[in-house]
Amino acid sequence: MDAWEELVTSALLGTDRRPPALPRTVAGGAPVALLDAAALHTVRRRAGLRPGPAAPAPEPAPADTRRPLPEPARHRLTQLLAGRAAAAPSGGRRGAAPDLAELLPQWLAAANDHGYKAPASALPALLDAARARTDLRPQALLLAGPRGLWLARLNPEWKFALRGAGGSSVLPDPRDSEAVRALWEEGLFAERVALLASVRTEDPAAALELLRSTWAAERAEDRLMFLDSLRAGLSGADEEFLEAALSDRSRNVRSTAAELLSALPDSALAGRMARRASSCVSLDRTKGAETVVVEAPHECDETMQRDGLLPTPPAGRGERSWWLGQLVESAPLSCWQARFGGRAPEEIVALPVADDWQGELHAAWCRAAVRQRDADWSRALLGAPAAPPATGPGIASLAERAKLLSTLPDEERARWVASFIAAHGLSEAFQLLGVCTVPWAEPLGGAVIDALDIAREAGSYPWSFSGVMGLAERCLSPDAAPQLESLTALPTEPEDASPGAGSYWSEAFQRLVSTLRLRATMRAELEA
């Protein structure tokens, strides 16, 4: 045993059990002598270490022809990545300084909209930020570009970038059929997913043909991911392929194919679902007032299952209501106007429904309106924004309302949510604000400011509005800063107000104003 191995053995077993063959004249005895000897031998080993063979140099980074950031914007990116926000004081108060970490996603999106590339010096920090926050990855990797992917190959901690954007640094031009075919047949799964999405954007028919060429040989989980890419640019040209996928070996693939077909109102599956659903829902005129009558399915046969219906309901759900909901949400909404004598969606939704089937029927119509992106039905199911949710046309869930709102044009959506806030306040509106286009269009921005002002004047603490305040910092138009300036002053607190609430509100509005002004500056820097 050589001297180094003997030292290691003594250290592992302990100097009492395995005393080292060393002089113990130093103070501290055997343990200290062992450490001294280990230090000496370490220096000797390092000094005598022979250099290993040189690793091959990496391939040069690919070119990125996009234009560089303006100098002020480059400095801003460095600041945002460093997260130089003011440290929160003790007590949990955020202070009046903007939260730079929350502004980074918006800055990245704006920089990509302008077609900029990230400076080389910022790539490591940009990849680190994307590794820590999955919500940043799409925009961060887009800004990083081919050089970011090249760099990610050199650090195992950044391998997520290769999964998220395909393993190749640059996808081939979708019009280069030879290169596309080569990557599709030989590439890694992530590369093929990215390639299919790229080709689908450029030429939906070519992407479908690419998918069709290897479909039978793909794994079930891969077929599901590839099939999901057809959502972009979905059209009647995809029907034949999707109809064949209804016979796929995988239940998940069959369900996804059925969902996509039901989003095509003129598809054969939509017609089959319309006939089934219409046979379950009818209009009864025998009792004076017209009433919608529901007779839910009594079975879920093989043909229904082939068309995407799941036979087994979730726990706590009845079989018949489960089958009915799936039929109605998969049927084209146009079939109901024919079924109910040409009535408009608002009139159909207003009809009474017998035997407590209204909730199930309306919920299925909501899902159909979202799936088919039908704004007319969404308006009918949303009802008037001033109506209490529990007394609306049949939907009490704010999550359902948010999904329906997403089908409306941006300006109409903003007006609806503004009216909802005016009637019900901000506490009920958080989910609805999340689906509104940024920056918030008027009158939505003004409605949010007015509601915050009312809450401030009420004298309560702003903590219950912290979520809305955070949204306002990111979503209000920077042009609203002057309107908010008067709210930054410390108000005179009424006698029944919560102690110190005024200073909290003043600080929150100062942060909001400073954030809006910083966003305006960031926008100007990118437009320079």
Side-chain angles (χ1 to χ4, degrees):
M1 181 182 297
D2 64 23
W4 177 255
E5 291 180 353
E6 183 178 348
L7 291 174
V8 171
T9 302
S10 295
L12 291 174
L13 296 178
T15 55
D16 291 337
R17 296 178 59 190
R18 184 67 176 266
L22 298 170
R24 303 187 183 183
T25 56
V26 296
V32 175
L34 174 65
L35 294 176
D36 287 346
L40 179 62
H41 276 277
T42 299
V43 173
R44 287 174 178 169
R45 286 166 63 89
R46 288 179 178 174
L49 185 64
R50 294 181 179 180
E59 293 291 329
D64 191 341
T65 58
R66 295 175 296 174
R67 55 184 180 144
L69 286 166
E71 192 64 17
R74 188 179 67 81
H75 286 301
R76 183 68 62 191
L77 174 60
T78 302
Q79 181 190 28
L80 293 175
L81 290 172
R84 296 175 185 171
S90 59
R93 294 176 67 160
R94 288 178 54 194
D99 186 345
L100 299 186
E102 291 304 315
L103 292 178
L104 181 56
Q106 197 171 100
W107 187 95
L108 290 171
N112 286 323
D113 287 343
H114 284 81
Y116 291 122
K117 64 179 178 181
S121 60
L123 289 176
L126 191 60
L127 290 170
D128 279 339
R131 179 170 66 93
R133 289 181 55 177
T134 56
D135 62 309
L136 292 178
R137 289 182 183 178
Q139 295 291 350
L141 293 179
L142 180 58
L143 187 69
R147 291 193 167 193
L149 296 181
W150 172 86
L151 189 62
R153 288 194 187 85
L154 306 178
N155 186 343
E157 292 186 350
W158 297 331
K159 62 183 179 181
F160 71 89
L162 306 180
R163 294 194 303 267
S168 64
S169 57
V170 180
L171 292 173
D173 189 319
R175 294 165 294 187
D176 187 345
S177 58
E178 184 176 343
V180 166
R181 174 62 62 179
L183 183 59
W184 178 251
E185 293 179 350
E186 301 171 8
L188 301 174
F189 173 67
E191 293 175 322
R192 301 176 72 213
V193 170
L195 176 66
L196 188 63
S198 174
V199 176
R200 183 72 175 178
T201 301
E202 182 74 22
D203 187 346
L208 183 62
E209 186 57 34
L210 200 64
L211 183 56
R212 195 193 305 271
S213 67
T214 59
W215 180 257
E218 304 289 355
R219 300 182 305 166
E221 55 267 33
D222 294 352
R223 293 198 304 275
L224 182 62
M225 288 289 292
F226 291 143
L227 195 64
D228 198 62
S229 69
L230 298 184
R231 295 181 189 277
L234 183 67
S235 71
D238 303 314
E239 181 181 358
E240 180 183 354
F241 179 80
L242 293 172
E243 185 73 27
L246 292 176
S247 301
D248 195 88
R249 302 183 302 275
S250 166
R251 186 185 68 178
N252 291 332
V253 171
R254 295 195 302 270
S255 297
T256 301
E259 179 190 344
L260 293 173
L261 283 168
S262 67
L264 297 171
D266 296 327
S267 67
L269 178 137
R272 297 193 294 270
M273 290 299 191
R275 290 189 291 274
R276 291 170 179 141
S278 296
S279 69
C280 297
V281 182
S282 59
L283 194 61
D284 183 9
R285 299 182 176 89
T286 62
K287 300 177 181 179
E290 294 179 318
T291 304
V292 177
V293 177
V294 175
E295 180 65 29
H298 291 272
E299 64 173 342
C300 184
D301 59 33
E302 290 184 1
T303 62
M304 294 164 67
Q305 293 181 43
R306 180 185 182 275
D307 283 347
L309 264 71
L310 302 177
T312 305
R317 185 83 178 273
E319 282 186 336
R320 296 182 66 196
S321 65
W322 171 244
W323 300 333
L324 175 76
Q326 293 180 84
L327 285 178
V328 173
E329 73 175 279
S330 300
L333 290 164
S334 57
C335 76
W336 301 113
Q337 292 174 264
R339 185 65 170 159
F340 294 117
R343 285 177 169 83
E346 291 83 357
E347 298 172 303
I348 296 174
V349 170
L351 290 169
V353 182
D355 301 327
D356 297 324
W357 281 105
Q358 177 171 306
E360 185 68 52
L361 183 61
H362 283 205
W365 278 338
C366 286
R367 295 192 296 272
V370 173
R371 182 181 296 184
Q372 298 171 36
R373 312 304 295 171
D374 193 307
D376 290 335
W377 272 87
S378 292
R379 293 186 190 97
L381 291 160
L382 279 166
T391 61
I395 57 167
S397 165
L398 288 172
E400 286 179 319
R401 289 194 169 197
K403 292 177 182 177
L404 292 170
L405 280 168
S406 69
T407 69
L408 302 183
D410 294 346
E411 293 183 2
E412 182 180 357
R413 196 184 315 168
R415 290 194 302 271
W416 198 97
V417 177
S419 298
F420 182 92
I421 291 172
H424 308 292
L426 282 173
S427 59
E428 299 288 335
F430 186 79
Q431 283 182 291
L432 307 182
L433 287 168
V435 299
C436 293
T437 304
V438 178
W440 290 334
E442 291 301 331
L444 179 55
V448 171
I449 293 172
D450 291 343
L452 288 172
D453 190 17
I454 291 171
R456 179 185 70 102
E457 291 182 348
S460 59
Y461 289 119
W463 300 326
S464 59
F465 299 97
S466 59
V468 175
M469 190 67 79
L471 271 180
E473 292 172 16
R474 300 188 297 274
C475 302
L476 270 176
S477 170
D479 298 335
Q483 182 182 352
L484 289 160
E485 190 66 48
S486 62
L487 303 180
T488 62
L490 189 65
T492 302
E493 297 184 2
E495 293 183 0
D496 57 346
S498 302
S503 65
Y504 276 90
W505 277 108
S506 175
E507 187 177 89
F509 279 114
Q510 289 175 34
R511 183 173 60 251
L512 177 56
V513 170
S514 61
T515 301
L516 294 180
R517 287 179 172 160
L518 177 56
R519 284 175 51 206
T521 301
M522 287 164 42
R523 180 177 61 189
E525 291 169 348
L526 288 168
E527 293 173 352

